């Protein structure tokens, strides 16, 4: 994994709880030297300690691994605020409706930040009676291609995976779709609101 619980996060959560290194060490049955090592980046807590550590710090495992205390954030999940994760190794595409720690092929994946399309990634959406036909004029070679197109509404997501040599196009039911997405394997995620 390229992202694991970091020393800075442990220190911040411990200090928020007004605990000393000794007190935290005692709760998870390690030496205070071990806690000091984690906090100064000289070591990682063993994976078997993640659960007790989260418990001692008063947060969930997910919160600990995502590096933030999310208990005070608005967790109402909304499809149109969902996030896409794409594995650079196997091409897996994952959509989450809320905060998540997503890992694939041994890599913790960052959520993709959607941008407004540039000239090369313009999404052409043609609306017919009950569907959008979405197309990009973009290379579809192995090295450089659109990996998926997606249409997201408040209720759900329609996703079409694309492969090299295919056309960069897809059809989506209109069904309350608000955002259209295209993902390029070299240039990232693009979004338009319809
Ligand atoms: Fe591209």
């Amino acid at each position: 994994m390229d992202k694991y619980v970091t020393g800075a996060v442990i220190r911040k959560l411990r200090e928020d709880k007004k605990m000393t290194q000794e007190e935290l060490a005692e709760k998870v049955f390690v030496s205070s030297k071990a806690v000091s090592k984690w906090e100064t980046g000289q070591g990682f807590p063993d994976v078997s300690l993640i659960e007790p550590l989260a418990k001692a710090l008063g947060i969930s495992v997910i919160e600990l691994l995502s590096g933030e205390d999310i208990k005070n954030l608005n967790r109402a999940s909304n499809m149109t605020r969902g996030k896409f994760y794409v594995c650079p190794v196997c091409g897996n595409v994952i959509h989450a409706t809320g905060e998540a720690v997503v890992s694939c092929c041994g890599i913790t994946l960052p959520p993709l930040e959607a941008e407004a399309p540039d000239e090369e990634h313009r999404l052409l959406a043609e609306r017919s009676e009950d569907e959008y036909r979405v197309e990009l004029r973009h290379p579809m070679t192995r090295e450089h291609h659109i990996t998926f197109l997606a249409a997201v509404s408040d209720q759900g997501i329609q996703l079409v995976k694309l492969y090299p040599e295919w056309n960069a196009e897809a059809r989506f039911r209109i069904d309350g779709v608000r955002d259209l997405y295209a993902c390029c394997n070299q240039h990232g995620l693009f979004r338009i609101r319809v």
Side-chain angles (χ1 to χ4, degrees):
M1 281 205 276
D2 66 354
K3 190 181 172 206
Y4 192 63
V5 59
T6 63
V9 168
I10 296 173
R11 166 164 290 173
K12 182 185 177 301
L13 292 167
R14 177 181 62 75
E15 288 175 349
D16 287 352
K17 280 258 166 193
K18 304 200 186 332
M19 261 191 277
T20 63
Q21 289 185 340
E22 285 74 14
E23 287 168 329
L24 178 60
E26 217 168 283
K27 287 192 178 205
V28 293
F29 303 103
V30 297
S31 65
S32 57
K33 201 169 165 203
V35 174
S36 161
K37 275 193 169 181
W38 303 337
E39 292 190 352
T40 52
Q42 297 169 63
F44 285 122
D46 183 78
V47 70
S48 64
L49 291 173
I50 294 297
E51 220 174 315
L53 196 52
K55 204 170 163 199
L57 294 167
I59 58 167
S60 69
V61 169
I62 291 293
E63 287 165 335
L64 181 61
L65 292 178
S66 66
E68 55 189 325
D69 183 351
I70 55 180
K71 68 175 180 292
N72 293 325
L73 300 182
N74 176 10
R75 289 203 208 178
S77 72
N78 176 327
M79 294 298 291
T80 55
R81 269 188 257 128
K83 294 180 168 68
F84 287 95
Y85 300 81
V86 176
C87 176
V89 178
C90 71
N92 196 0
V93 179
I94 300 136
H95 182 261
T97 57
E99 202 64 42
V101 177
V102 175
S103 134
C104 188
C105 293
I107 306 163
T108 302
L109 306 174
L112 297 181
E113 294 283 339
E115 293 172 46
D118 56 16
E119 195 55 47
E120 197 191 4
H121 301 89
R122 192 163 299 269
L123 281 98
L124 307 164
E126 199 179 289
R127 190 185 167 132
S128 69
E129 207 158 289
D130 57 355
E131 63 179 19
Y132 284 115
R133 186 178 162 278
V134 181
E135 184 188 6
L136 281 89
R137 304 210 172 106
H138 186 278
M140 287 298 280
T141 62
R142 185 155 293 281
E143 297 72 34
H144 184 198
H145 61 277
I146 300 299
T147 57
F148 70 84
L149 291 169
V152 177
S153 72
D154 283 336
Q155 288 81 35
I157 172 172
Q158 304 169 64
L159 189 141
V160 175
K161 190 89 176 72
L162 300 175
Y163 296 90
E165 313 306 334
W166 291 20
N167 292 330
E169 63 175 44
R171 287 169 191 274
F172 299 107
R173 292 182 312 281
I174 284 181
D175 271 358
V177 164
R178 294 196 10 207
D179 294 313
L180 294 170
Y181 289 86
C183 185
C184 167
N185 70 330
Q186 286 197 12
H187 299 107
L189 189 64
F190 298 92
R191 174 182 54 205
I192 58 167
R193 183 140 278 208
V194 290

